[in-house]
Amino acid sequence: VTKGEQTREDIILKAVDVFNTKGYAASSISDIMAATGLQKGGIYNHFSSKEELSLAAFEHASGIVGQRMTDAIRSESNAVAKLVALITTFRMHVENPPFRGGCAVLNAAVESDYANPEFREHVCKVMDELRSLIIYVVNEGIKRRQIKPSVNSDYCATVFIATMEGGVMLSSLYRDSMYIDYSIHHLTEYIQTQLAL
Amino acid sequence: VTKGEQTREDIILKAVDVFNTKGYAASSISDIMAATGLQKGGIYNHFSSKEELSLAAFEHASGIVGQRMTDAIRSESNAVAKLVALITTFRMHVENPPFRGGCAVLNAAVESDYANPEFREHVCKVMDELRSLIIYVVNEGIKRRQIKPSVNSDYCATVFIATMEGGVMLSSLYRDSMYIDYSIHHLTEYIQTQLAL
Amino acid sequence: VTKGEQTREDIILKAVDVFNTKGYAASSISDIMAATGLQKGGIYNHFSSKEELSLAAFEHASGIVGQRMTDAIRSESNAVAKLVALITTFRMHVENPPFRGGCAVLNAAVESDYANPEFREHVCKVMDELRSLIIYVVNEGIKRRQIKPSVNSDYCATVFIATMEGGVMLSSLYRDSMYIDYSIHHLTEYIQTQLAL
Amino acid sequence: VTKGEQTREDIILKAVDVFNTKGYAASSISDIMAATGLQKGGIYNHFSSKEELSLAAFEHASGIVGQRMTDAIRSESNAVAKLVALITTFRMHVENPPFRGGCAVLNAAVESDYANPEFREHVCKVMDELRSLIIYVVNEGIKRRQIKPSVNSDYCATVFIATMEGGVMLSSLYRDSMYIDYSIHHLTEYIQTQLAL
DNA sequence: ACCGACGGGACCTCCCGTTGTT
DNA sequence: AACAACGGGAGGTCCCGTCGGT
């Protein structure tokens, strides 16, 4: 690992916090300078534009979200348990966040949806991956007779992500983990009463 | 209605579109000038700062959201029907939006939560009102023996808003009303199976 | 004449000096600010970019060059005298310049030829006009039997402009009007011995 | 020849193209990096500043111009033929250029005349050498009774260089060798009718 | 009530040159 | 001898808000 790669990683780590807290448009390179302790020349040596840094920061942040979901799935063997574990990871964005500012995917989705087509493409790709994770777990659960065969996995993924991201939004807004907990509770009940065999 | 008041209203209407599409921080007064056809002096005659205009635009937009929910509630007499009607109003942010850019409350919540304390206060107040609407309907439904007495109205309001706003987020991101429809379907089933007496 | 138009004209006048002295690429908006006494906002209110200001300055400067040539032609009635008067106007770029920095057309031509295609187009157009002036005078002179009918007006225009601009270049470089005087003398002799009937 | 000297030569060769095409002020070290394939450190190892590199590039380019003129003179024995050959070398800046961007001496003269006193000094020195070449040929021709004794060699040098550089300017601007050809034709006629014995 | 003109500053980008390292 | 990393700052553009005029 060269020094440059180390610095690049460090910039990304700090940038994730800044961008996810203030928003991409509202964050300035000066903010990144202050967060990293580097001067402009030192930052632009690693990223050719604010946009490129934004994307790198988003990829990093969304990678963490996806990684935690993947880890949660792997920690359980039963599909129902996997789904519960998966949902629970969303609590971390409030209780034990890997970075400040709430869920990076939610933030990026809301900021880019009608404003930044290119960024939106990246968010769509990440959201597709998150949805795919849930869809996969549900389908595997159906195969293994752990989840009802009538369940629509696409529908499930939508309901899960919508409810969780909505809960994160409320808890981020109110600074109160009650909202995400309610969302988790609701989905957990839904899983056990409607999905589980 | 004087000409000045008319102009003020017109500015707000155009500003709602601009702010809700691009975001508050990313929108400039130049954008508002272009949208209204007014010069800077014409705008600052009615609003002392971009922040004041932002707030006025948000109040206007969130007022529409609240109004439609209130109207939906009034259109029905049974609490269960009220809840279903209320939920359905969220589809308008995708199918028949009163302004561009998705749900103004969601957008403002996500943009302000960790970035703009003052704005966040306003969003909290609006969100409180939306939640109060649902809480009121649920509590009234319990009183009138239309909804199970064991139901926690606060919990309900959270689940409803989280799921709906999450669905709006997904549909805004993907530009596909399927996601909000799935959310509506899920909550409708939830209402009928878990809440209704 | 509004105040804005007055300011715009003033900016152009000052910008002509700056650009023609330092070159377009080497001149900064700060230079224009210092020359005009205006701040950036005051300048960008009249020109949307440095490029637009550059073009306006060039058009103004080249307009003066063309105007003086046109005036010289009008001051004489005989074609031979017109040509001599026309050539003599080039001395002003050294002796009595309307702006600092030498001949604006020469400077712009040399700076833009292989570097700035769009600017080059404008310079070509101006150079075409200067050449057309000479061509016209020669052709009229032939018609009126003041100039030999065998003379190629296109060739003449080229030789005139090449020699004069080359002389201006040398005098500008050496800060010595001797060079432009030699060029004028050479062309005057050429006119009287080769062109005049 | 060490590797370092080889690299230095290579940098100069590439720099001549860049500087002569874009201009000295408008060219950046990044441009030189791109042209040479070297990093910044590799360039600053051989030149202490952009200015030093600019001068080295100019000296190299103007050396080629002077060399070709010297070669042309040597290729002929008669002074009149020397002058014709000398003039013809200017066509190479359009037809068969040793580097891109037109005549380096003309470009440097126009860019530096009122903007860069130090650079201007160097251009003056080079221009003096070019003029001296012509003056020498004319004076020798007078001695050897090949050129009229009444001819002013200083005047001749001015007319030659002015006309040729003006022609190069026009051909560079219009991307058409016609203009330099006209200039050559004019001077050739001038030599044969006015100078030759 | 609205326009036009301007100040002053923030922002992104790029640039020159230095230093440590290989 | 060359690269990689960085500092510090200039440059062009845009932005917010003010003020005089109309």
Side-chain angles (χ1 to χ4, degrees), chain D residues 99-165:
Chain D
F99 40 75
R100 295 186 300 150
C103 177
V105 181
L106 169 67
N107 294 346
V110 170
E111 181 168 350
S112 71
D113 52 9
Y114 294 97
N116 192 330
E118 191 187 351
F119 208 116
R120 176 176 160 268
E121 287 297 321
H122 286 260
V123 180
C124 281
K125 213 181 296 179
V126 168
M127 193 69 86
D128 285 341
E129 288 171 17
L130 300 189
R131 284 171 40 78
S132 295
L133 272 179
I134 299 173
I135 290 170
Y136 177 78
V137 171
V138 170
N139 285 340
E140 285 291 308
I142 292 173
K143 276 189 197 164
R144 299 180 187 177
R145 303 185 189 277
Q146 295 161 349
I147 289 179
K148 293 179 186 171
S150 61
V151 168
N152 178 345
S153 59
D154 199 45
Y155 172 86
C156 264
T158 298
V159 169
F160 280 27
I161 290 185
T163 307
M164 298 315 303
E165 294 290 14

Side-chain angles (χ1 to χ4, degrees), chain B residues 55-68:
Chain B
L55 285 174
F58 172 67
E59 299 296 343
H60 181 86
S62 62
I64 293 177
V65 175
Q67 187 61 46
R68 294 220 180 174

Side-chain angles (χ1 to χ4, degrees), chain A residues 46-90:
Chain A
H46 298 284
F47 304 93
S48 64
S49 68
K50 180 185 169 186
E51 189 184 351
E52 187 182 317
L53 175 55
S54 302
L55 285 174
F58 171 67
E59 298 295 343
H60 181 85
S62 63
I64 293 176
V65 175
Q67 187 60 47
R68 296 221 179 171
M69 288 175 69
T70 306
D71 291 347
I73 289 170
R74 287 206 183 117
S75 70
E76 303 287 341
S77 56
N78 184 283
V80 172
K82 279 177 194 284
L83 289 177
V84 172
L86 197 150
I87 284 166
T88 312
T89 63
F90 278 84

